[in-house]
Amino acid sequence: MNSDKIGDLDEVKKKVYPIREPIVSKVSDIDFSGNYSYANYLRWQFEERLELIKGKVFEMSAPAPFHQLVSWRISGELHAYLKKKPCRAYPAPFDVRFPDASKRNKDVYTVLQPDISIVCDMTKIDKRGCVGPPDIVVEILSPSNNKKDLEYKFAIYEEYGVREYWIVFPDERYFLKYVRNADGVFIGDKPYNGDVDFVSALLPGFRLNMNEVFED
């Protein structure tokens, strides 16, 4: 997988909306053929969660109970491990902006909400979330988001410099880990499943037992 996977998003109709558009209170009022920035995103005031990938809008479905249980277990272990360490773990909903040349709201066209973001450079954190790539991103898949996470978001995380990407398959009960190499390419590790411990080179001593994470 690489950034070529998001090439088809460049074919999105380039219908740029004015920055001072009215507040949008219903997701049904959004033109999904449009091309949106973070400035537009900030004017959407409804309960539904959306993400932007290269200006294209993606809806987010409500997570299943087991998804939330797995997320809570991972977050709990990370919280315990990161106490008195410089990094912090931020569970969703938590906006991560991926700027290019400019960090201005109107110039940012990718805004994602990873299930868990681990950030070690606190200068990236502001009152609205994270500006720039987290060090580690954790995504917990569901049938409705598999393509987005395995293709589009994988490519974004690789392109913008996420150092580790953990993909969790709750139904199949295993983890995949991708580590960014010196060439800026994600290299995959073997699947973690069964009675084994998941480990991370960026978090020395951190361990997650797969049987415990996926316990019913």
Side-chain angles (χ1 to χ4, degrees), residues 31-94:
D31 177 359
F32 278 73
S33 70
N35 190 50
Y36 294 93
S37 72
Y38 184 58
N40 304 124
Y41 176 99
L42 289 175
R43 302 184 74 78
W44 299 342
Q45 297 184 7
F46 38 72
E47 292 184 1
E48 294 88 345
R49 292 166 57 202
L50 303 177
E51 294 180 303
L52 294 179
I53 300 179
K54 302 291 187 179
K56 178 67 174 176
V57 178
F58 287 84
E59 294 184 88
M60 302 179 70
S61 59
F66 190 57
H67 174 290
Q68 293 298 80
L69 181 60
V70 168
S71 179
W72 177 78
R73 287 171 175 163
I74 298 170
S75 296
E77 293 296 327
L78 285 168
H79 175 74
Y81 171 84
L82 292 173
K83 283 184 177 180
K84 299 183 180 180
K85 291 183 172 61
C87 304
R88 296 289 181 269
Y90 299 92
F94 178 74

Side-chain angles (χ1 to χ4, degrees), residues 66 73 168 170 173-175 210-216:
F66 190 57
R73 287 171 175 163
V168 183
R173 304 187 180 224
Y174 71 92
F175 275 46
M210 295 294 93
N211 280 346
E212 294 177 2
V213 169
F214 295 120
E215 183 180 3
D216 289 326

Side-chain angles (χ1 to χ4, degrees), residues 106-118:
K106 70 182 184 65
D107 297 326
V108 176
Y109 283 87
T110 297
V111 184
L112 302 179
Q113 291 192 8
D115 286 301
I116 304 171
S117 303
I118 301 172

Side-chain angles (χ1 to χ4, degrees), residues 13 15 30 43 119 126 167 181 183 186 216:
K13 181 181 177 183
K15 186 176 181 180
I30 292 178
R43 302 184 74 78
V119 181
D126 65 14
I167 306 179
N181 69 10
D183 297 320
F186 276 153
D216 289 326

Side-chain angles (χ1 to χ4, degrees), residues 172-175 190-197 210-211 214:
E172 295 82 4
R173 304 187 180 224
Y174 71 92
F175 275 46
K190 66 182 186 303
Y192 291 82
N193 66 313
D195 191 23
V196 301
D197 287 343
M210 295 294 93
N211 280 346
F214 295 120

Side-chain angles (χ1 to χ4, degrees), residues 59-197:
E59 294 184 88
M60 302 179 70
S61 59
F66 190 57
H67 174 290
Q68 293 298 80
L69 181 60
V70 168
S71 179
W72 177 78
R73 287 171 175 163
I74 298 170
S75 296
E77 293 296 327
L78 285 168
H79 175 74
Y81 171 84
L82 292 173
K83 283 184 177 180
K84 299 183 180 180
K85 291 183 172 61
C87 304
R88 296 289 181 269
Y90 299 92
F94 178 74
D95 285 346
V96 179
R97 286 161 273 162
F98 292 86
D100 291 307
S102 168
K103 294 182 181 179
R104 293 182 300 179
N105 293 343
K106 70 182 184 65
D107 297 326
V108 176
Y109 283 87
T110 297
V111 184
L112 302 179
Q113 291 192 8
D115 286 301
I116 304 171
S117 303
I118 301 172
V119 181
C120 299
D121 180 358
M122 291 298 107
T123 65
K124 293 181 179 180
I125 302 299
D126 65 14
K127 64 181 180 180
R128 292 196 176 110
C130 182
V131 186
D135 292 87
I136 300 174
V137 164
V138 184
E139 294 284 11
I140 303 169
L141 300 192
S142 64
S144 63
N145 69 5
N146 278 6
K147 178 179 176 64
K148 181 175 66 171
D149 289 344
L150 290 175
E151 294 187 17
Y152 300 148
K153 293 174 82 170
F154 183 104
I156 291 294
Y157 296 147
E158 183 180 61
E159 175 185 349
Y160 285 88
V162 170
R163 298 171 66 191
E164 279 191 7
Y165 183 22
W166 306 355
I167 306 179
V168 183
F169 295 77
D171 292 340
E172 295 82 4
R173 304 187 180 224
Y174 71 92
F175 275 46
L176 289 179
K177 180 179 67 179
Y178 291 88
V179 179
R180 182 179 176 87
N181 69 10
D183 297 320
V185 175
F186 276 153
I187 303 299
D189 203 350
K190 66 182 186 303
Y192 291 82
N193 66 313
D195 191 23
V196 301
D197 287 343

